[in-house]
Amino acid sequence: MHILHITLHNFRSFKQQGELPQGFSPGTNAIVGRNGSGKSNWLQAVQFCLGLGPFAVLRAEERQAILHEGSGRAAVHAFVEVVLDNSQHRLAVAATTVTIRRTIGWKKDEFFLQRQRCTKQEITSLLEGAGFSKQNPYYIVQQGKVQALCTMSDLERLRLLQQVAGTVLYDEKKRDSVSHMNDNQGRLDQVNDVLQEMQDKLTDLESEKQELQAYQKADRQRRALSYALYEKECTKARRQLAQIDEERQTHLTNTLQQLHHDVKSVHDRIRNIESSVLPVSNASLKRWNQQVQRTRKQNAANRTTLQTRQDKLHSMQGMLDKQKAEVEANRSHAEELQAQLTKAERQLEDVKPMREFAEKELKDAQQERREKEESIQGFYAKQGRANDFTTAEERDTFLQTQIQEIQEHVDTRRDKLAQHRQTIQSAAENQEKENSRMEKVQSQISEKSKHLADLTKSSQVLKEKQIQLQNSRTSAWTQVGLVGNELKQAQEAFNAAQLRLSQSRPRSTSDGLRALPDLKRRLGITDRQCFGTVLENLSLTDSKYQSCVEMAAQNALFHVIVDTDETSARIVQALEQQKCGRLTFLPLSRLSPRPVADSIASDDVRSLLSDCIQHDPAVKVAMLHVFGQKWLARSSDIAAEVCRRHEVDVVTLDGDLCSSKGAMTGGYLDAQKSRFAAHIQHKEAESILEKKQAELQEAQNELQRFQTDSQTCQHSIQRQNTQQDQLRHQKEQLLAQLAACKSKLESLSSDSQQATEQVGEEETALKTGESELQRLQSELGTPLDTNLSEHDERLLQTAKDALDILMKETLPQAQSKSSKLKLQEQKLRLEVKQLDERLGQLVGSKKDVDEDAEEVEQVDEETIVELQQHVEEAKMQYERGQEDAKNAQASFAEAKENWNGAKHDLEKYKQEDENLAKALEEANEKAERLLNKRSMCISKRETYTRKIQELGSLPPPSELEKYGDKTISELMKMLESVNKKLKKYSHVNKKAFDQFVNFSEQRETLLKRKDELDQGAAKVKELIDSLDRQKDEAINRTFRGVSSHFRDVFKELVPNGAGELIMRTAMDEDDEDMDDDEESTSPKKSDPNNPDVSLYRGIGIKVRFSAVGENYMMSQLSGGQKALVALALIFSIQRCDPAPFYMFDELDQALDSTYRAAVANLIQRQANDKENPTQFIVTTFRPELVAVSNRCYGVSHQNKVSSIHSLSRKDALKFVANLMNEEEAVGEVATMAGSKTSRSTMSRKRKVASEIAQDESVTA
């Protein structure tokens, strides 16, 4: 263990000195500085902090002297803090470092251990346990101690040795023992004196004892008779008291208690009627009257609304009928036009093939005519070529040319024919595609129409459903209104109950309890952490216990039960922050209530907690805390008796409380201000309110559901209407596509027909060209002749005849028939077009007539349905209003009847209250009479009981039994006779026997006390002898140890020398008279190992400084040699009683360089000892100790403030060398004419310091 850091604040010359960066070394630490810089103050600070030496006890002026008085403001307090290394755990503190601080001020002086306040004795005990002996002051050696040792006499050194040996403690114990023995002797003398006086008194009392015995015999008979008489009287009084108690208890229990209960019940009913029933009835009567007026006004408004909506419905139905008639007329006209159009189209279809057939016949006739004409022209051309050509070759050449041209013309006709046929085929394909497309579009139109019809039907169903939902919603609205009125009434009742509950408890408590639920929710405190008030956590086994439980608990009913004090602290902090009241908490973890004392329970006394209250087991500790020491008694007398005997709180059923502190509370209890009644009313009102809130929420949910379903139904209707509009639009688009397809088909048909006609023409022209080509080819190679052959003539004539028939009969007939059919077809087409236009003008399009009719009908029906719905709603509202008015009227009548009934009940209960008051007064008078009788019996019983007690000690039971069968009168006669007999002994000392016995007992006691004092004196004497022996052993043991260490230390300091300590005794003195005196005062025999300490007269010192030479006493040595011997003695004392660290203040001041080096080496060896290393802190002006130091420090002083700082060894040695140079310079100036010896000595000192500094620099 060693010092790590020292912190000073306002201590002497140090104003503010913090911890040094490196701290102190566990080895040797040297502190250098100029004189007056504050080095000694640094060591005194350690003494001050540890409470050692002159700093153990400080007066006010001494504390003031310690405070820093430098520049600046005056210091008002100071402290020194020492940090010790405790890695070896020599100090009894569970830490590796121990901090000790002492703080002083003008009026304070405090010690601190590990930053915690402690006493000086604790610091002293801690240090003594670590090896700092109180008797050995030499582990801190200040300036002057070495010099004091040098000048000590042998006797002073002996006293120092005794102090080191701890004889002070032995002397203190011996003084205490001697003082105790003297006190014991004084008490023994007093006991002997008292014993002598008692012996004289007992001799005088012995003569009076015989006469006293006769008196005592008569007195025993008197006391026996008196006891028998008093016992019979007392028994008689107890019997009468028991009868009166039974009668009174019966009267109190059966009559008076029942009357009180009836009176209380009647008062409660009257108060309930006056405070609750009548105001509620008045409010209900007024409210229902207002409700009747409102329903009447509402019914008038509903009737007007219903009439208006009915008129609007009739008007709308007329408009709908008119629209339906118009639609029906349009539909009939459209059907007629459609029939005419169908007939015309059918006729057109019939005429069309006839016209085509007639045209075909006409074409065939024309074709045949052209063929005949071309044949005739060919014959004529053949006949004319004989005139045009001279030879057949020319003719053939011409024919060849003609054949080629005709052939080209035929080829061209064939190409055109192929093109026209391709056109016909393409048109046929396109017609087929358009027909397929038309069928697809017609199929889609059918689907859309079907889907539209389904949507219309579904929409109608949804509209009917919406009407039902609206009716249900109206009913739900009505239900919400009714429940809302009931909720309003429940809320008013709840507010009244809450106000009553708040008035029954303190305002701050009410504010806190109102804020508690919100605080629990905000702080996240569950119901298992905060259980609520005591009142909320209990229930009564019977309602009759309400008054007694309430009176027993009082405001503790509103204490809040929590699980731990942490929960209560959080809630209290929140209450303080929000300034919302005050609460008292019962933390279950902190409560330690006393258990219920079952021994108190009886037939007349019961525990409130066990018999009257039920509670959750989780809060049992809190209930035990509140009700554990509360008891229920049958009557006030029993309650007072139990309270006095057991010091517990006892309450009666009527609420009369006997407190364990002596107070008694009772009287009339106002039920209107009952906490339990307010709590029960509040709970009932809260339950009704929650029920009505739940009903309102359910009704609102039902209304919301109907509204949601109605909105959903409305959205479905709107969605279906949108879908219908989309389907109609899609259907119109499909109809437009169908019309386009028909138009395209007509165009394709026209193109096909035109191409067919062209094909016919081309085929005719082709046949003509081929016949012409065939005819010309047949003419080739024939002879050139101007006349036709017979065969040609015949063919020519046949052709002429056929042509003539065609021109006269066939062709005109075909042309007439074709013209008639074309004209008929044109007329039919015109009729169809006109009918189609008329049908389109009627309904827009003949295809949309039915749809338009349906749409008009649907729109009108929707309007009618909506109007009917509104009418039904108005009708239902009107009927509901009628029903509400009827109900309101009935409720008004019922409320009026209730009010009348309440008034009648109030009058009846008041009359009953008067009757009960009279009966109660009579019962109270009877109870008072019984109570007076009871008091008389109790007084009589107590009188005789007191007389029995005053009799004192009673005769034996055998004498008392003789008078057991005697009557009271007989006993009185016998007692009178005995009293006359006792008058003869009036002069007798009636206390003689008692005094004789008393003095005898006291004498025996004093004799025992005398023996005890004799034994104590012997033990004290033995203790004194033991202390003397222990003291002698300690002094001898210490002397041997110090003497042995002195030889070793001196040998280490002076290797060639030797030293020893010599114990001087009385036998060594030269004066024989003194020897005789000492022998006469010390007759004890000496033990060779432990000589008698009383013979010691001092400790002498003999030393020599060379191997051979004389031994010198201390008085024969020089100043330096004395200082060296004194240091050797200090080191030997330290080795005998080692400490963890040592502090020396300029111990080498009086030594020369040789001895300083020896001392420095000794300190270095002891500091670096492997078995027991020791810390040294020394102040010095010399280089020897600095050279062996592990760490060096310098103390400076500026502006009246000292400060300490770390120095390297080289700087410290340089500083010491400078100091020595300054001292040498001052010495030369002061002793200019000094001796040569002084100069050489100073030069040697300077040389030694320079050499050491050089060695240190080389080492560095």
Side-chain angles (χ1 to χ4, degrees):
M1 185 182 76
H2 59 275
I3 296 176
L4 291 175
H5 301 285
I6 302 176
T7 303
L8 289 80
H9 178 75
N10 289 334
F11 183 83
R12 301 233 175 184
S13 61
F14 289 92
K15 183 173 182 61
Q16 182 68 41
Q17 180 63 52
E19 296 181 355
L20 296 173
Q22 295 181 350
F24 286 96
S25 169
T28 306
N29 301 269
I31 301 175
V32 298
R34 299 181 181 275
N35 281 328
S37 60
K39 301 189 300 299
S40 298
N41 291 340
W42 184 263
L43 301 184
Q44 289 176 2
V46 178
Q47 283 184 299
F48 164 78
C49 183
L50 301 181
L52 303 175
F55 300 99
V57 179
L58 297 176
R59 296 189 300 273
E61 58 272 15
E62 293 174 339
R63 292 197 297 270
Q64 180 67 27
I66 290 176
L67 297 177
H68 178 69
E69 296 180 353
S71 59
R73 296 176 60 185
V76 296
H77 72 280
F79 73 83
V80 176
E81 182 177 275
V82 176
V83 181
L84 301 173
D85 175 76
N86 193 32
S87 58
Q88 298 177 353
H89 298 288
R90 295 185 63 174
L91 294 172
V93 179
T96 56
T97 59
V98 177
T99 302
I100 300 175
R101 173 184 284 199
R102 185 178 184 182
T103 302
I104 64 167
W106 289 343
K107 295 183 179 180
K108 67 176 181 178
D109 188 356
E110 299 174 330
F111 287 86
F112 296 88
L113 178 62
Q114 299 295 79
R115 310 294 182 183
Q116 295 182 357
R117 194 186 307 275
C118 64
T119 63
K120 176 191 172 186
Q121 183 60 36
E122 292 176 351
I123 298 295
T124 303
S125 300
L126 182 70
L127 294 176
E128 288 181 353
F132 294 95
S133 175
K134 185 178 180 181
Q135 291 77 25
N136 182 7
Y138 286 98
Y139 53 85
I140 298 179
V141 181
Q142 294 179 310
Q143 292 185 18
K145 277 195 175 183
V146 176
Q147 184 64 29
L149 281 174
C150 294
T151 59
M152 276 185 178
S153 63
D154 293 346
L155 181 58
E156 289 174 341
R157 280 192 288 272
L158 175 61
R159 290 174 181 172
L160 173 62
L161 183 66
Q162 291 175 347
Q163 181 182 1
V164 173
T167 58
V168 176
L169 179 60
Y170 294 114
D171 291 338
E172 290 177 356
K173 291 183 179 180
K174 182 177 180 180
R175 283 195 297 271
D176 293 340
S177 300
V178 172
S179 175
H180 182 70
M181 188 170 63
N182 293 333
D183 294 340
N184 195 16
Q185 184 63 38
R187 287 193 293 271
L188 186 60
D189 295 339
Q190 292 176 1
V191 169
N192 291 328
D193 295 339
V194 173
L195 284 174
Q196 184 62 38
E197 292 177 1
M198 285 185 178
Q199 186 63 37
D200 297 340
K201 187 66 175 177
L202 287 172
T203 304
D204 296 337
L205 290 174
E206 185 67 28
S207 61
E208 300 176 0
K209 190 167 63 171
Q210 294 179 356
E211 189 176 11
L212 180 61
Q213 289 177 351
Y215 170 78
Q216 288 178 344
K217 182 178 179 181
D219 185 64
R220 281 198 303 273
Q221 186 179 6
R222 179 189 63 80
R223 283 186 282 117
L225 289 171
S226 298
Y227 175 78
L229 177 62
Y230 297 156
E231 180 64 24
K232 288 185 179 292
E233 291 289 350
C234 190
T235 303
K236 181 179 178 182
R238 289 194 190 99
R239 191 181 305 111
Q240 292 176 354
L241 182 62
Q243 293 175 356
I244 293 172
D245 283 340
E246 184 178 358
E247 183 179 359
R248 183 170 174 269
Q249 186 64 34
T250 303
H251 178 67
L252 291 175
T253 305
N254 298 335
T255 304
L256 196 59
Q257 186 174 354
Q258 183 63 35
L259 285 174
H260 278 297
H261 183 271
D262 294 341
V263 169
K264 182 179 179 181
S265 176
V266 170
H267 284 175
D268 291 342
R269 292 175 183 176
I270 292 173
R271 193 176 294 107
N272 183 42
I273 291 173
E274 290 178 347
S275 62
S276 301
V277 177
L278 280 178
V280 171
S281 298
N282 286 330
S284 178
L285 193 63
K286 184 178 180 180
R287 184 171 61 255
W288 285 116
N289 188 18
Q290 294 175 355
Q291 183 68 18
V292 168
Q293 298 299 327
R294 284 198 300 270
T295 52
R296 287 177 180 174
K297 292 180 182 179
Q298 186 66 30
N299 286 339
N302 291 339
R303 188 183 303 109
T304 303
T305 302
L306 177 62
Q307 187 64 37
T308 302
R309 291 184 178 180
Q310 285 178 345
D311 294 341
K312 188 175 181 180
L313 176 62
H314 294 326
S315 175
M316 196 64 191
Q317 284 180 343
M319 292 175 61
L320 179 61
D321 293 339
K322 185 176 179 181
Q323 288 180 356
K324 284 184 177 180
E326 291 178 357
V327 170
E328 188 65 29
N330 289 336
R331 183 181 289 110
S332 300
H333 193 190
E335 288 177 354
E336 292 178 358
L337 291 177
Q338 185 66 35
Q340 293 178 5
L341 180 61
T342 302
K343 182 179 179 182
E345 288 177 347
R346 190 166 48 252
Q347 289 177 355
L348 182 60
E349 291 294 329
D350 293 339
V351 170
K352 185 177 180 180
M354 295 173 63
R355 189 262 308 165
E356 291 177 353
F357 183 74
E359 287 180 351
K360 184 178 180 182
E361 288 183 345
L362 179 59
K363 289 180 181 180
D364 292 341
Q366 288 177 350
Q367 179 67 23
E368 186 177 359
R369 186 198 65 181
R370 284 194 295 271
E371 290 178 356
K372 296 300 182 184
E373 287 177 350
E374 289 177 358
S375 178
I376 292 172
Q377 288 177 1
F379 284 116
Y380 286 142
K382 183 178 179 181
Q383 186 178 4
R385 276 192 289 274
N387 296 324
D388 294 334
F389 298 101
T390 58
T391 61
E393 288 80 4
E394 293 179 356
R395 183 199 62 185
D396 292 338
T397 301
F398 174 75
L399 289 176
Q400 290 289 341
T401 303
Q402 289 293 320
I403 289 171
Q404 188 176 359
E405 292 178 357
I406 292 171
Q407 185 65 41
E408 291 178 356
H409 181 68
V410 168
D411 292 338
T412 302
R413 292 289 183 182
R414 283 198 183 103
D415 293 338
K416 289 183 178 181
L417 181 61
Q419 291 177 358
H420 291 313
R421 286 178 177 172
Q422 184 66 29
T423 301
I424 292 170
Q425 185 178 358
S426 176
E429 292 177 356
N430 291 332
Q431 284 180 349
E432 186 177 357
K433 290 180 180 179
E434 290 299 325
N435 286 329
S436 300
R437 184 180 175 190
M438 282 180 62
E439 290 177 357
K440 184 177 181 181
V441 170
Q442 287 176 350
S443 175
Q444 292 179 355
I445 291 172
S446 300
E447 291 178 359
K448 300 296 182 184
S449 299
K450 183 178 180 182
H451 193 189
L452 187 60
D454 294 339
L455 286 176
T456 302
K457 184 176 180 181
S458 176
S459 178
Q460 188 65 29
V461 173
L462 288 175
K463 289 175 181 178
E464 294 175 357
K465 181 179 179 181
Q466 187 180 17
I467 293 173
Q468 296 177 357
L469 290 174
Q470 289 176 347
N471 294 335
S472 301
R473 182 180 60 183
T474 305
S475 301
W477 274 336
T478 305
Q479 183 66 20
V480 168
L482 293 175
V483 176
N485 292 332
E486 295 177 356
L487 178 61
K488 185 176 180 181
Q489 298 176 12
Q491 184 68 46
E492 293 174 355
F494 176 75
N495 293 337
Q498 192 170 22
L499 178 61
R500 181 183 175 187
L501 182 61
S502 299
Q503 292 174 348
S504 67
R505 58 197 182 194
R507 181 176 179 181
S508 59
T509 303
S510 297
D511 295 341
L513 290 176
R514 278 197 299 271
L516 184 59
D518 181 63
L519 293 178
K520 287 172 59 180
R521 184 169 52 257
R522 185 165 59 85
L523 297 175
I525 297 175
T526 62
D527 292 337
R528 303 309 297 176
Q529 291 177 303
C530 181
F531 297 88
T533 62
V534 173
L535 185 58
E536 293 171 350
N537 284 274
L538 64 83
S539 61
L540 301 177
T541 57
D542 195 330
S543 60
K544 66 181 181 182
Y545 299 129
Q546 178 176 316
S547 298
C548 61
V549 172
E550 180 178 347
M551 194 63 190
Q554 298 185 1
N555 284 334
L557 291 172
F558 304 115
H559 292 177
V560 180
I561 303 172
V562 296
D563 56 348
T564 60
D565 50 357
E566 180 182 357
T567 303
S568 60
R570 293 172 60 194
I571 299 176
V572 168
Q573 185 178 4
L575 289 173
E576 291 176 352
Q577 291 175 354
Q578 298 186 3
K579 299 180 180 180
C580 50
R582 296 176 63 84
L583 293 175
T584 301
F585 295 91
L586 300 177
L588 298 177
S589 60
R590 295 290 300 276
L591 298 178
S592 299
R594 290 185 297 170
V596 178
D598 296 334
S599 59
I600 302 178
S602 64
D603 295 337
D604 296 329
V605 181
R606 288 287 184 268
S607 172
L608 279 179
L609 183 61
S610 303
D611 299 340
C612 305
I613 295 174
Q614 295 178 347
H615 58 83
D616 187 358
V619 297
K620 180 179 180 181
V621 176
M623 294 301 171
L624 191 61
H625 174 77
V626 177
F627 298 103
Q629 303 303 317
K630 312 290 183 181
W631 295 84
L632 175 64
R634 189 182 298 275
S635 63
S636 300
D637 297 333
I638 298 174
E641 180 66 21
V642 174
C643 178
R644 181 185 61 80
R645 185 183 303 169
H646 299 284
E647 295 184 355
V648 294
D649 295 343
V650 187
V651 67
T652 65
L653 279 175
D654 296 332
D656 298 334
L657 175 65
C658 294
S659 174
S660 59
K661 298 180 180 179
M664 183 172 182
T665 306
Y668 171 71
L669 286 176
D670 189 358
Q672 185 65 22
K673 298 181 180 179
S674 172
R675 300 179 180 90
F676 258 108
H679 175 68
I680 293 171
Q681 182 182 357
H682 180 266
K683 284 296 182 183
E684 292 176 353
E686 185 178 13
S687 176
I688 294 173
L689 179 62
E690 291 177 353
K691 181 179 178 182
K692 294 302 178 184
Q693 286 176 345
E695 291 179 359
L696 179 61
Q697 184 64 34
E698 184 179 358
Q700 288 177 347
N701 293 338
E702 188 72 13
L703 176 60
Q704 183 66 29
R705 185 174 63 81
F706 287 138
Q707 288 179 346
T708 303
D709 293 344
S710 178
Q711 291 176 359
T712 303
C713 188
Q714 183 66 30
H715 292 162
S716 299
I717 293 174
Q718 292 177 357
R719 187 167 57 252
Q720 289 188 358
N721 290 336
T722 302
Q723 292 178 358
Q724 289 178 359
D725 293 339
Q726 292 177 354
L727 288 173
R728 290 192 184 95
H729 180 66
Q730 293 174 0
K731 186 176 179 182
E732 290 176 357
Q733 291 179 348
L734 291 173
L735 289 174
Q737 292 179 7
L738 183 62
C741 289
K742 288 183 178 180
S743 176
K744 190 172 182 180
L745 277 175
E746 291 177 356
S747 175
L748 290 172
S749 178
S750 176
D751 293 343
S752 178
Q753 184 178 0
Q754 185 178 0
T756 302
E757 292 177 355
Q758 290 177 356
V759 166
E761 291 177 357
E762 292 296 333
E763 286 179 347
T764 302
L766 183 58
K767 289 180 179 180
T768 302
E770 289 178 348
S771 62
E772 181 65 19
L773 183 61
Q774 185 177 7
R775 185 178 59 77
L776 290 177
Q777 287 177 350
S778 62
E779 189 179 353
L780 285 174
T782 60
L784 185 60
D785 193 358
T786 56
N787 294 321
L788 295 173
S789 63
E790 184 178 354
H791 179 265
D792 291 337
E793 284 291 341
R794 220 173 19 257
L795 292 173
L796 179 59
Q797 190 58 42
T798 301
K800 287 181 179 181
D801 293 339
L803 181 60
D804 187 37
I805 294 170
L806 287 172
M807 293 299 292
K808 290 181 179 179
E809 296 180 2
T810 305
L811 191 58
Q813 291 177 357
Q815 288 178 348
S816 175
K817 184 177 180 182
S818 176
S819 298
K820 290 180 181 180
L821 291 173
K822 282 183 178 182
L823 181 60
Q824 185 177 0
E825 183 180 7
Q826 290 177 357
K827 289 180 179 181
L828 289 173
R829 289 184 182 277
L830 181 60
E831 183 179 1
V832 167
K833 184 176 181 182
Q834 291 176 354
L835 290 172
D836 193 13
E837 289 177 357
R838 289 174 61 188
L839 187 60
Q841 291 175 359
L842 183 62
V843 294
S845 176
K846 71 175 184 178
K847 300 294 183 180
D848 296 334
V849 172
D850 294 335
E851 296 177 5
D852 291 342
E854 291 176 1
E855 184 176 358
V856 172
E857 184 177 359
Q858 180 179 357
V859 172
D860 291 337
E861 285 182 355
E862 289 177 357
T863 305
I864 292 297
V865 167
E866 185 175 358
L867 288 173
Q868 287 177 348
Q869 178 181 350
H870 291 168
V871 170
E872 289 295 329
E873 289 179 358
K875 187 175 181 180
M876 290 178 63
Q877 191 171 0
Y878 175 72
E879 292 176 354
R880 193 177 298 108
Q882 290 288 344
E883 185 68 23
D884 291 342
K886 184 177 179 181
N887 294 334
Q889 190 67 32
S891 299
F892 176 74
E894 183 180 357
K896 190 171 183 180
E897 183 179 356
N898 292 336
W899 185 80
N900 292 330
K903 292 287 288 183
H904 179 267
D905 292 342
L906 181 61
E907 294 175 358
K908 183 180 69 173
Y909 288 135
K910 285 184 177 180
Q911 182 64 35
E912 186 177 353
D913 183 44
E914 293 177 0
N915 298 333
L916 288 173
K918 294 179 181 179
L920 184 61
E921 185 177 358
E922 295 175 357
N924 286 330
E925 292 177 355
K926 182 178 179 180
E928 187 68 24
R929 291 194 298 271
L930 291 173
L931 184 60
N932 292 333
K933 291 181 180 180
R934 184 176 183 276
S935 299
M936 293 175 62
C937 289
I938 291 175
S939 177
K940 187 176 180 181
R941 180 193 64 184
E942 291 178 352
T943 299
Y944 285 113
T945 302
R946 184 172 61 255
K947 288 182 178 181
I948 291 174
Q949 292 174 353
E950 290 174 354
L951 290 176
S953 59
L954 297 176
S958 58
E959 295 184 16
L960 296 176
E961 292 176 357
K962 295 188 298 182
Y963 309 107
D965 55 349
K966 302 294 183 180
T967 62
I968 294 177
S969 59
E970 292 175 349
L971 290 174
M972 291 180 68
K973 291 179 181 180
M974 294 174 68
L975 180 61
E976 184 179 359
S977 175
V978 171
N979 287 332
K980 290 179 180 180
K981 185 178 180 181
L982 285 172
K983 287 180 181 180
K984 299 177 182 180
Y985 301 101
S986 58
H987 65 283
V988 176
N989 183 8
K990 301 178 179 60
K991 296 183 179 180
F993 185 76
D994 293 336
Q995 291 175 353
F996 181 81
V997 174
N998 189 20
F999 285 148
S1000 298
E1001 292 177 354
Q1002 291 182 5
R1003 181 173 175 274
E1004 293 296 330
T1005 303
L1006 289 175
L1007 289 174
K1008 292 180 181 179
R1009 179 62 177 164
K1010 181 178 180 297
D1011 294 338
E1012 291 176 357
L1013 292 175
D1014 292 337
Q1015 293 176 3
K1019 290 182 179 180
V1020 170
K1021 190 174 182 181
E1022 291 177 2
L1023 177 60
I1024 292 174
D1025 294 339
S1026 175
L1027 290 175
D1028 289 337
R1029 287 194 302 272
Q1030 293 178 9
K1031 176 182 175 182
D1032 294 347
E1033 292 174 359
I1035 293 175
N1036 291 322
R1037 183 174 59 253
T1038 304
F1039 174 73
R1040 288 194 294 270
V1042 172
S1043 179
S1044 175
H1045 290 306
F1046 181 79
R1047 287 194 296 270
D1048 297 338
V1049 171
F1050 193 82
K1051 189 69 175 177
E1052 293 179 15
L1053 293 176
V1054 184
N1056 295 325
E1060 63 176 341
L1061 298 180
I1062 301 173
M1063 180 62 72
R1064 301 190 180 277
T1065 64
M1067 293 181 292
D1068 298 331
E1069 296 180 355
D1070 298 330
D1071 192 351
E1072 295 296 335
D1073 296 333
M1074 291 297 295
D1075 292 343
D1076 296 337
D1077 294 339
E1078 290 295 333
E1079 291 174 1
S1080 63
T1081 56
S1082 303
K1084 297 186 292 183
K1085 295 181 180 180
S1086 299
D1087 184 4
N1089 295 326
N1090 292 306
D1092 188 2
V1093 176
S1094 61
L1095 299 177
Y1096 292 168
R1097 294 294 179 264
I1099 297 177
I1101 300 176
K1102 287 185 179 181
V1103 295
R1104 55 183 172 85
F1105 292 90
S1106 60
V1108 178
E1110 295 184 29
N1111 291 328
Y1112 298 98
M1113 303 300 291
M1114 284 289 290
S1115 58
Q1116 299 173 343
L1117 300 178
S1118 64
Q1121 290 174 338
K1122 286 182 179 180
L1124 182 64
V1125 173
L1127 286 175
L1129 181 58
I1130 290 174
F1131 285 124
S1132 62
I1133 292 173
Q1134 290 176 350
R1135 289 187 180 184
C1136 185
D1137 186 11
F1141 61 84
Y1142 298 105
M1143 304 181 74
F1144 295 103
D1145 187 8
E1146 299 182 6
L1147 79 163
D1148 56 352
Q1149 183 178 8
L1151 301 178
D1152 58 17
S1153 59
T1154 303
Y1155 295 149
R1156 287 199 302 270
V1159 170
N1161 292 330
L1162 176 65
I1163 290 175
Q1164 184 180 22
R1165 286 194 298 273
Q1166 190 167 343
N1168 299 326
D1169 187 23
K1170 294 182 180 180
E1171 296 182 356
N1172 187 19
T1174 307
Q1175 183 187 40
F1176 286 89
I1177 300 176
V1178 298
T1179 63
T1180 183
F1181 291 111
R1182 302 295 179 243
E1184 287 79 11
L1185 283 175
V1186 175
V1188 300
S1189 298
N1190 300 101
R1191 290 178 187 167
C1192 300
Y1193 305 93
V1195 178
S1196 61
H1197 188 269
Q1198 293 181 354
N1199 298 327
K1200 298 183 180 181
V1201 177
S1202 299
S1203 61
I1204 188 170
H1205 51 275
S1206 299
L1207 290 176
S1208 65
R1209 188 183 299 170
K1210 181 179 179 181
D1211 293 338
L1213 290 172
K1214 185 177 180 182
F1215 177 79
V1216 170
N1218 291 334
L1219 286 180
M1220 293 176 66
N1221 291 332
E1222 291 176 2
E1223 289 178 359
E1224 183 179 356
V1226 172
E1228 289 178 355
V1229 172
T1231 59
M1232 185 69 69
S1235 63
K1236 182 178 180 181
T1237 305
S1238 299
R1239 288 196 299 271
S1240 63
T1241 302
M1242 295 302 296
S1243 299
R1244 187 169 61 255
K1245 292 181 180 178
R1246 185 174 62 254
K1247 182 178 180 182
V1248 171
S1250 300
E1251 291 176 354
I1252 294 174
Q1254 290 177 1
D1255 294 340
E1256 290 297 327
S1257 62
V1258 171
T1259 304

